[in-house]
Amino acid sequence: MIYGAMKFSIGGSLKLAFRPWVEGLENIPAEGPAILASNHLSFSDSFFLPAVLDRKVTFIAKAEYFTSPGVKGKLTAAFFKGVGQLPVDRSGGRGAGEAAIQSGIKVLEGGELFGIYPEGTRSPDGRLYRGKPGGLARVTLATGAPVIPVAMIDTEKIQPPGKVVPKLMRPGIRIGKPLDFSRYQGMEGDRFILRSLTDEVMYEIMKLSGQEYVDVYATAAKRQLAEEAKAKAPGSAAPPPAE
């Protein structure tokens, strides 16, 4: 009931204000489990996609969104629960990844839609980065659920980093045809299969989004950009002279 109310208020407001365009809605099954694997350009991706669908979509969210103290913390927790976000403690490294995988499996076993960003984090520059094989592939093979590639278009332009007030413009959402990976059932222990499945999904997302593909992880790209920014900052140490 909370989700329905939140979806009506937030989803309706988003559609009214931003008027997102959508292609491929017919590819979302009317019932049964499915994995929505999307590129990740903006914090708002997890709100725009559910806003245009008739069915509930559950995404993984940081546990901190649900555990902050005070009135603001309670309101934030209620908001994220209401829009279908599922709390997972991601501070524990490998254990955190396993918790996210098990959460996704539970959602799908309940016959619902599970949303996941294979890149693992938002793109730092609007390009599409290499998908991480653990989460998406393992959830897919454990449940047998079809994978539906999704491309978010221009959501990063609505509220770029550092901007408080969002820009009113029309983002887009392209939804591809379901991908069946039943041929890989029982092979979840094979890292080459996990990599192959993930790469196939990322290729479909690339075709839908039109993004330039970068064959490195977005987390590594972010670290490199941070190091470059630090090196250029005033007062940074000069590199040692060449030998």
Side-chain angles (χ1 to χ4, degrees):
M1 185 171 180
I2 294 177
Y3 176 80
M6 282 288 190
K7 178 176 173 59
F8 179 79
S9 59
I10 297 172
S13 298
L14 284 175
K15 288 195 285 186
L16 182 63
F18 294 95
R19 299 181 299 117
W21 56 265
V22 190
E23 296 176 359
L25 273 176
E26 69 276 6
N27 293 320
I28 301 294
E31 58 183 21
I35 301 167
L36 305 185
S38 173
N39 60 338
H40 198 12
L41 297 173
S42 167
F43 175 77
S44 63
D45 294 336
S46 298
F47 303 113
F48 277 114
L49 180 56
V52 302
L53 301 181
D54 292 331
R55 296 184 60 187
K56 177 182 178 181
V57 186
T58 300
F59 286 89
I60 295 297
K62 293 187 294 186
E64 300 91 274
Y65 290 146
F66 299 82
T67 57
S68 298
V71 175
K72 182 179 179 181
K74 291 181 179 179
L75 290 173
T76 300
F79 170 79
F80 278 95
K81 288 178 182 177
V83 295
Q85 304 284 312
L86 192 66
V88 170
D89 184 356
R90 301 193 296 185
S91 62
R94 185 177 295 274
E98 187 63 32
I101 289 169
Q102 294 306 316
S103 295
I105 291 173
K106 185 175 180 180
V107 169
L108 292 164
E109 287 179 341
E112 299 180 7
L113 300 178
F114 178 61
I116 188 170
Y117 301 113
E119 292 167 280
T121 186
R122 280 175 277 173
S123 169
D125 54 14
R127 296 186 293 177
L128 184 67
Y129 284 81
R130 195 180 197 205
K132 293 189 173 183
L136 170 63
R138 287 187 56 197
V139 171
T140 300
L141 296 180
T143 62
V147 179
I148 301 174
V150 176
M152 307 301 295
I153 312 291
D154 291 336
T155 53
E156 81 282 10
K157 298 177 182 178
I158 292 176
Q159 193 171 12
K163 297 292 184 180
V164 177
V165 180
K167 180 180 179 181
L168 287 177
M169 60 175 291
R170 295 189 71 187
I173 302 171
R174 288 197 183 100
I175 303 170
K177 295 184 181 300
L179 303 174
D180 177 14
F181 291 104
S182 58
R183 63 188 183 278
Y184 293 144
Q185 286 300 125
M187 302 182 189
E188 53 268 25
D190 188 327
R191 62 188 180 92
F192 294 107
I193 293 297
L194 300 182
R195 180 77 265 162
S196 178
L197 186 157
T198 305
D199 287 345
E200 184 173 336
V201 174
M202 296 309 295
Y203 179 71
E204 293 301 321
I205 294 174
M206 181 186 71
K207 289 197 300 182
L208 291 168
S209 69
Q211 291 170 280
E212 177 186 348
Y213 179 74
V214 185
D215 196 23
V216 299
Y217 293 122
T219 48
K222 285 185 174 181
R223 283 195 300 269
Q224 182 178 346
L225 289 172
E227 291 170 0
E228 291 174 354
K230 184 178 180 181
K232 294 178 181 178
S236 60
E243 295 291 339

